[in-house]
């Protein structure tokens, strides 16, 4: 007999594990959806400028990525300062493909953080930055979310401790 009852039991366990993993991933997407919708709206506004769009995935974390077009100049002239890339929920925008490759792992860490914090991510980010200022540190570089994200990608080697 090719398949015994033991095999069916093992297959049922594997099926249950895969089902739970898919459910957890779906819940992460739903939890981050309000933030992701903002990123999708930004991408929708950028569509007339014909940005490049692709999916970026590292491990279990993935995001819709866009670069070029109007997004490039927007990131360069951002009101909070020039940026190479930014993540808004499950949407990562970058100036160009090179910047996306350079900071993709960093931005995917922010995507993972958004999966964890959901709608509270922007508030937690700002509150932590303000807490760093109260402690006499820097809003951006000493922010818990940025410190965690700088552990990934090549920019971790370029982190200078300047004030």
């Amino acid at each position: 007999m090719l398949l015994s009852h033991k095999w069916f039991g093992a297959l049922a366990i594997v099926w249950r594990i895969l089902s739970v993993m898919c459910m957890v991933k779906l819940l992460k997407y739903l939890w981050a959806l309000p933030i992701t919708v903002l990123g999708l709206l930004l991408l929708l506004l950028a569509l007339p400028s014909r940005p490049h769009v692709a999916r970026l995935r590292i491990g279990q974390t993935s995001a819709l990525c866009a670069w070029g077009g109007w997004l490039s100049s927007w990131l360069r002239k951002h009101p909070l300062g020039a940026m190479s890339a930014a993540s808004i929920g499950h949407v990562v925008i970058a100036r160009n493909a090179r910047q996306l490759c350079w900071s993709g792992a960093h931005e995917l860490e922010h995507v993972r953080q958004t999966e964890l914090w959901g709608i509270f991510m922007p508030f937690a980010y700002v509150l932590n930055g303000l807490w760093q200022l109260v402690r006499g540190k820097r809003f951006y570089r000493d922010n818990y979310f940025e410190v965690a994200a700088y552990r990934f990608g090549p920019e971790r080697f370029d982190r200078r401790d300047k004030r």
Side-chain angles (χ1 to χ4, degrees), residues 66-68 71-78 81-87 92-104 106-107 140-141 150 155 158:
W67 65 93
L71 296 171
S72 180
S73 61
W74 184 74
L75 285 170
R76 197 176 303 114
K77 299 173 185 175
H78 193 274
M83 300 179 188
S84 299
S87 62
V92 174
I93 56 174
R95 285 192 202 173
N96 52 46
R98 183 177 181 205
Q99 294 291 333
L100 180 62
C101 290
W102 188 73
S103 61
H106 174 103
E107 297 305 327
Y140 176 78
R141 285 292 188 165
Y150 272 105
E155 72 267 11
D158 193 36

Side-chain angles (χ1 to χ4, degrees), residues 28-40:
K28 286 180 178 180
Y29 274 94
L30 290 175
W31 180 236
L33 186 62
I35 307 298
T36 302
V37 166
L38 296 175
L40 292 172

Side-chain angles (χ1 to χ4, degrees), residues 35 38 114 117-128 139 145:
I35 307 298
L38 296 175
T114 305
W117 287 85
I119 189 69
F120 301 108
M121 175 65 182
F123 305 110
Y125 186 97
V126 170
L127 284 174
N128 188 266
F139 181 94
F145 297 102

